[in-house]
Structures are given as C-alpha cells and as structure tokens.
C-alpha cells in the first residue's frame, strides 16, 4: 500500500476494520471463558464506574428498551455480580452496585484478555510492537470523535 493510499480514509477503513473486528472477537471469546458476555462486561464496567446508576439510565445509555435491560440486570443480579441499593431520597427507586463477585469476574475477564493479547504480542518483532504502541492513541481517539 502506498503512503498516499494509506492516508485515504476509505482505503484505511477497509484494511483496518477486519483486523479490529477479528481482534475484538477473540477478546470477547476470552471473556466468555470467565462466564461473561460482551454485554455483561459492558454493564458491569458501567455499574462499577457509576455506582447507584439506575436500570433506565443504563437502558438509555445502551439504546436498549427498559424491559430488555431489566432482564439483563436481573440475570447479573441472580449471578451475584451486582446488587440493588435503595435510593436515599426516593424509596421507589433503586440504584445498582457491583459486588465483590462482580469485581472478581471483571478481574478474571481482564486477566484472560490480557494474557491472550500479551502472548500474541510477544510473538511479534519489536518493530511491530512499537507500531502497535504508537497506534493506541489514534485508535482510542476514534471512539472519542462525536458521531
């Protein structure tokens, strides 16, 4: 690929998308070894980040219906990964918090994903690892660009 075509957003997207999708799929597979789906991980991380968040707020953030989100939350609660907290000023509302078991499940997921990725990174030559290290900033910036 020429330097000029590497800078073309359409051509770069065509080359980058399959690689990102394959890596993401493998990382999801590693997470599933800890018993968590991709949505489970996403919800646990969000509840950890925002203790006391409500089911409706999570549904809105993930663009899901409230009944669908409620089903996921009930499953996480039944697994012992989250619990409900009574709202301080409104007894009709409750918030969610991650439990120690939920924290342990997230930690195991992170360990499995990191172990998989580190094993593959160690098989690359130093120049390839350097190129990936330099790409992390721009890759993270992609998700920060407003839609």
């Amino acid at each position: 690929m020429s330097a000029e075509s590497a800078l073309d957003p359409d051509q770069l997207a065509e080359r980058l998308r399959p690689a990102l999708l394959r890596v993401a799929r493998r990382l999801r597979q590693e997470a599933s070894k800890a018993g968590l789906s991709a949505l489970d991980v996403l919800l646990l991380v969000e509840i950890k980040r925002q203790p006391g968040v409500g089911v409706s707020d999570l549904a809105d953030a993930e663009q899901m219906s409230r009944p669908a989100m409620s089903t996921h939350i009930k499953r996480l609660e039944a697994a012992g990964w989250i619990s409900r907290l009574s709202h301080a000023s409104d007894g009709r509302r409750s918030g969610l918090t991650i439990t120690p078991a939920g924290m342990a499940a997230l930690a195991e997921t992170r360990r499995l994903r990191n172990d998989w990725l580190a094993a593959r990174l160690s098989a690359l030559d130093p120049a390839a690892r350097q190129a990936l290290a330099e790409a992390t900033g721009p890759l993270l910036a992609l998700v920060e660009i407003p839609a």
Side-chain angles (χ1 to χ4, degrees):
M1 173 177 266
S2 71
E4 184 177 308
S5 64
L7 297 178
D8 177 71
D10 291 330
Q11 290 182 27
L12 182 56
E14 189 64 31
R15 290 192 66 210
L16 195 54
R17 181 189 41 76
L20 292 173
L21 290 172
R22 289 180 68 190
V23 170
R25 182 177 64 233
R26 288 301 309 265
L27 290 172
R28 279 193 308 274
Q29 289 170 346
E30 291 303 308
S32 71
K33 291 178 182 178
L36 297 173
S37 71
L39 182 58
D40 293 342
V41 172
L42 187 141
L43 294 174
L44 288 173
V45 167
E46 196 58 29
I47 293 166
K48 177 184 171 188
R49 195 177 68 76
Q50 293 186 70
V53 67
V55 174
S56 294
D57 294 329
L58 285 174
D60 292 345
E62 295 308 313
Q63 299 178 348
M64 293 177 69
S65 71
R66 284 172 174 74
M69 181 59 73
S70 184
T71 299
H72 289 292
I73 293 302
K74 287 176 184 173
R75 190 175 44 74
L76 293 176
E77 195 173 19
W81 293 328
I82 63 169
S83 62
R84 294 181 190 261
L85 300 172
S86 296
H87 192 275
S89 61
D90 185 348
R92 299 168 295 172
R93 298 186 65 198
S94 66
L96 303 168
T97 187
I98 191 166
T99 64
M103 294 292 284
L106 277 181
E108 177 64 5
T109 299
R110 189 175 304 112
R111 185 191 65 75
L112 288 167
R113 287 175 167 177
N114 283 345
D115 288 353
W116 179 87
L117 195 52
R120 272 121 194 107
L121 289 170
S122 69
L124 297 176
D125 63 64
R129 287 197 304 269
Q130 181 63 37
L132 287 170
E134 291 169 2
T136 58
L139 286 171
L140 290 172
L142 286 174
V143 297
E144 300 299 326
I145 297 171

